[in-house]
Amino acid sequence: MSTDLPVLAEFELIDRIRSRLAHRDDVVLGIGDDGAIVQPPAGQQLVIAMDTLNSGVHFPHATPVDAIGWKALAVNLSDLAAMGAQPAWCTLSLSLPQADAAWMDAFLDGFLALARMHDVALIGGDTTRGPLSISVAVHGFVRRDAALRRAAARPGDEVWVSGTLGDAAGALALLGATPLEPAASAPTGDAATLGELQVRLDRPTPRVALGRELAALAHACIDVSDGLLADLAHIACASAVAIEIELSALPASDALRATFDSERVSELQATGGDDYELCFTAPAANAERIAQLAASCDVRLTRIGRVEAGAGVRAVDAAGRVWEPARTGYAHFA
Ligand code: ADP
Ligand code: MG
């Protein structure tokens, strides 16, 4: 990529990472030995999650390198958020076509900027040569038995979602970046509008503070990565309940509405994925306290449906008719 910066050996790459790390008191031994040593707090449980990003599958090949770094950590922090956990440590496995110093620095710019925001320490990893692929594992804490689980939804719960849905999928559709999402004809939005959608694709915001607060207020929770309906189906299945969603209640950004017609907006919101918003169920009695979290966590919160006895996920339009999408979400190997 760069001609004026050196191509590095594996250990020089690792030193480049190590020289930029922030300190945490509970990291007994960080990068440099065969394993890291950390000290979990007494009385807390560890929540562990791992997600991989493959070039051309999880992000378009042309994604800015700092955005790849940001997103690799963001999607993992989003999983911890969906469990109601407070992030603490992470490990990073990099498969790189070549040991390029400029690439490494740009990647770390994005990755470490988000790590700093959430006081997450990078404590180890692996660096190998191969097609561009990034795996991150994150570790976080939750009070004993307080984690949010997919299996905890109950009939009578209301269903909520944070932020807006469909923006990232909208950006992807415009880019024509995957064979599953053919490029929309001509984008109708202006450059600034398209930029707003693109930011949601490249730099998702993990709802960490919200997830922690929800640990005391919500029943089930999931982060929307594959598509709202597909992800809600996981809650419905794990909890052995039915979930009904009102299409017209789904939150959309002005940028999304300015760019696509209303049918396409619904489709992107309900099935697009890559949103990294939290979708959760909670007793109606907690509605007011949840609504207050919108201000304290600085995120929009919208009630989009309810949990009932039965099985499966159903989306209905404003007239109460059941809406059947062409697909419910993204599936690898589909
Ligand atoms: P080993 O051969 O014992 O697995 P490595 O040479 O792979 O050791 O790694 C040396 C040290 O550098 C270890 O502490 C490892 O965790 C760390 N490390 C390697 N790659 C990365 C990376 N991409 N990010 C963070 N730490 C890394
Ligand atoms: Mg190794």
Side-chain angles (χ1 to χ4, degrees), residues 237-287:
C237 181
S239 300
V241 294
I243 294 176
E244 183 173 289
I245 294 303
E246 281 167 53
L247 270 191
S248 60
L250 300 184
S253 67
D254 293 340
L256 194 71
R257 290 205 195 284
T259 311
F260 297 96
D261 65 41
S262 65
E263 175 67 20
R264 189 82 164 115
V265 166
S266 293
E267 195 177 278
L268 291 165
Q269 290 177 298
T271 71
D274 241 10
D275 299 298
Y276 303 102
E277 295 296 347
L278 295 184
C279 183
F280 54 95
T281 83
N286 289 351

Side-chain angles (χ1 to χ4, degrees), residues 160-206:
W160 296 73
V161 74
S162 66
T164 56
L165 297 169
D167 298 320
L172 205 54
L174 293 172
L175 292 170
T178 133
L180 295 171
E181 287 281 359
S185 38
T188 51
D190 54 26
T193 306
L194 301 183
E196 281 174 46
L197 300 179
Q198 180 98 37
V199 165
R200 297 291 316 273
L201 175 67
D202 287 346
R203 294 178 159 262
T205 305

